Amino acid sequence: MSSSLTIPRVLFRTRPSIQRQTHHRTRLFSALAASPSSKTQVYISTSRSPYTNLSIEHHLLQTTPSDSTILFLYTNRPSIVLGRNQNPWLEVNLPRLQSLGPNSGGQDVIDLVRRRSGGGTVFHDEGNVNYSVICPPANFDRDTHAEMVVRALRSLGVEGAAVNCRHDIVMTVPPPSLSEAPAETQSADGSTSSAAPPASCAKPKADAENTFKISGSAYKLTRLRSLHHGTCLLSSPNLPRIGGFLRSPAEPFIKGRGVESVRSRICNVGVNDTRTFEDAVVREFGKMYGEFDVQAELGDKDAQGEEKVRKGMRELESREWIYGQTPLFTFSTHPSEDDPRERPQLPGNFNLTFEARHGLIQKFSLSGLPSDGGASSLSETMVNAQIWEIEDWARRLSAGGLNGKDASAIGEWLNSLLGRKND
């Protein structure tokens, strides 16, 4: 396929023998995706919903032929996307996130999403295009399709792009041409986000001078299929504030079993037209896999017309999925044998510890107050409380028997760290 090929943005471009299978648009999407003849498929989403796009992606992972290769490109509205095994109270500044939106009198809404793949937390918006490649496990390699995206970027004049030792895409920028200040944030770099790169790796490092991360990846591997999806930070208008949302004020007090994100310096690539980037990626995909059996644009109507996609959307949108899938973690105000870190100053003289699994409090202890003040009764009343359903920690502690003054002081402090239910 020639690199000068113009990619048409049609609803469906397929081989005639497949296209005649059905006339209904939604059934056409599902039938084509699952057809044994559809060996190479390309989809670009017109939806901006992270719940829709991740559910379409999951549907493609589950239904496409085991020997097929799929490219899916999508852009989400502003969203914070957690990895499958992460802790939102540890990864995200929930009080800041919950202060946004219609309930606060503004329209600056940012979705909180838990995806089905591993890796760390990323920020998505309209200046950030996501790429997803689904292929047979035998063909899976963590660098192959990241290198494909690098070639697409270089075809657009981004010569400093490269894949590093952590399988991320980084960009080295000479100081005189760096037009905007870089930012630091947490971002996904695969299911082994805490692992250090090989000592012998000679590829660029994201923390090297004038080298910044522009794309992180995550993976999902099944017996028959493998999925590699990643971001590409093209022209995000939110770059200066991303780090503020991905720094949890509760982090010094939480120790968990989930995957923690790795901080990296980030910057925009400087490609302002996302469609230009999408077309470049499609061209590179075509060079690798040849003629497409299916090429389509998909949108919200296509997603709503497929029950399995709708079911996936309902799951991703549910608070039980977003918060209730959180691995076991402990919140403690003082150093312990398991977590000897020093803690920030507290708003009073007390010792609070609780343990939660799937966002459900299993153990709760409050001690050290000048007088008991009802603290002893909390150990029982707080057990089985769903953290994400607590509308106000002060009221919840007071309802559990803690006296008003202590409940107010400790509760407001917990609100400032863990947030509260905000419908």
Side-chain angles (χ1 to χ4, degrees):
M1 182 176 291
S2 170
S3 61
S4 62
L5 176 65
T6 300
I7 304 299
R9 290 190 170 261
V10 295
L11 173 61
F12 286 101
R13 189 186 71 179
T14 67
R15 293 186 303 200
S17 60
I18 298 176
Q19 194 169 22
R20 285 197 297 268
Q21 290 179 2
T22 179
H23 298 289
H24 190 274
R25 172 187 171 116
T26 300
R27 188 181 168 201
L28 180 60
F29 158 50
S30 296
L32 288 173
S35 171
S37 301
S38 300
K39 303 298 186 185
T40 307
Q41 307 179 32
V42 174
Y43 301 96
I44 297 178
S45 176
T46 60
S47 174
R48 293 296 178 260
S49 165
Y51 310 107
T52 298
N53 286 325
L54 287 171
S55 296
I56 290 175
E57 179 185 71
H58 188 61
H59 182 62
L60 292 171
L61 176 67
Q62 291 186 313
T63 61
T64 50
S66 60
D67 59 347
S68 64
T69 303
I70 317 299
L71 173 66
F72 179 46
L73 300 173
Y74 57 95
T75 300
N76 291 326
R77 61 184 179 241
S79 314
I80 295 173
V81 184
L82 298 161
R84 174 67 177 84
N85 299 307
Q86 290 200 291
N87 183 333
W89 293 282
L90 178 62
E91 298 292 336
V92 182
N93 188 332
L94 292 175
R96 176 176 292 191
L97 184 66
Q98 292 162 355
S99 71
L100 304 178
N103 289 339
S104 63
Q107 298 299 318
D108 187 11
V109 178
I110 297 177
D111 293 312
L112 182 62
V113 187
R114 182 189 295 275
R115 64 179 181 269
R116 295 182 176 89
S117 61
T121 302
V122 287
F123 189 98
H124 291 175
D125 62 19
E126 287 84 352
N128 188 334
V129 173
N130 301 279
Y131 65 92
S132 176
V133 179
I134 303 168
C135 65
N139 299 339
F140 173 76
D141 179 86
R142 292 177 187 268
D143 283 345
T144 297
H145 296 107
E147 294 283 3
M148 174 189 74
V149 174
V150 166
R151 291 193 297 273
L153 288 169
R154 288 177 177 172
S155 74
L156 300 177
V158 185
E159 296 297 334
V163 177
N164 72 3
C165 301
R166 302 181 67 91
H167 318 292
D168 300 322
I169 301 175
V170 297
M171 183 172 69
T172 301
V173 185
S177 64
L178 187 60
S179 59
E180 56 184 301
E184 181 180 80
T185 185
Q186 297 171 328
S187 52
D189 60 356
S191 57
T192 56
S193 61
S194 60
S200 60
C201 180
K203 294 180 180 179
K205 295 179 173 59
D207 57 354
E209 186 177 4
N210 302 324
T211 298
F212 304 92
K213 185 172 178 177
I214 58 174
S215 173
S217 294
Y219 314 93
K220 184 175 179 63
L221 306 178
T222 69
R223 185 174 63 87
L224 296 176
R225 303 294 272 155
S226 64
L227 179 149
H228 169 193
H229 57 184
T231 61
C232 195
L233 194 57
L234 299 177
S235 56
S236 170
N238 293 294
L239 198 67
R241 65 176 188 158
I242 290 175
F245 284 109
L246 302 187
R247 292 179 183 273
S248 169
E251 187 275 334
F253 303 96
I254 292 178
K255 180 177 176 61
R257 292 185 179 178
V259 174
E260 293 189 25
S261 298
V262 176
R263 295 189 184 278
S264 301
R265 296 187 305 165
I266 61 174
C267 73
N268 281 323
V269 170
V271 174
N272 295 321
D273 185 357
T274 58
R275 292 168 69 97
T276 298
F277 171 76
E278 290 171 347
D279 290 348
V281 174
V282 172
R283 279 195 295 270
E284 293 301 325
F285 184 76
K287 291 177 184 178
M288 294 176 67
Y289 297 105
E291 182 180 357
F292 308 145
D293 298 312
V294 181
Q295 184 174 1
E297 282 191 349
L298 301 173
D300 292 306
K301 289 184 178 180
D302 301 289
Q304 290 295 334
E306 174 54 57
E307 171 56 30
K308 291 182 179 179
V309 176
R310 292 200 306 272
K311 181 180 178 181
M313 292 165 59
R314 290 193 297 269
E315 180 179 55
L316 292 187
E317 291 170 345
S318 71
R319 296 172 68 83
E320 288 76 11
W321 173 263
I322 297 170
Y323 297 100
Q325 293 294 310
T326 302
L328 177 70
F329 73 94
T330 300
F331 179 99
S332 58
T333 57
H334 289 72
S336 65
E337 183 177 348
D338 291 335
D339 186 5
R341 295 175 298 166
E342 291 298 320
R343 305 297 200 269
Q345 185 175 356
L346 303 177
N349 185 22
F350 62 91
N351 190 327
L352 171 63
T353 300
F354 68 79
E355 184 177 285
R357 183 189 296 272
H358 302 313
L360 194 72
I361 294 177
Q362 296 185 323
K363 298 178 183 178
F364 190 95
S365 173
L366 176 62
S367 61
L369 294 169
S371 62
D372 178 81
S376 58
S377 64
L378 283 173
S379 297
E380 294 183 4
T381 60
M382 291 299 294
V383 170
N384 292 326
Q386 294 174 322
I387 300 174
W388 72 87
E389 291 293 334
I390 295 177
E391 296 180 354
D392 185 308
W393 279 90
R395 290 203 302 268
R396 185 66 179 81
L397 295 177
S398 178
L402 191 63
N403 71 50
K405 182 178 179 181
D406 290 331
S408 178
I410 298 173
E412 287 302 322
W413 177 71
L414 288 172
N415 285 337
S416 72
L417 298 182
L418 302 172
R420 62 181 85 184
K421 184 179 180 181
N422 188 10
D423 291 329

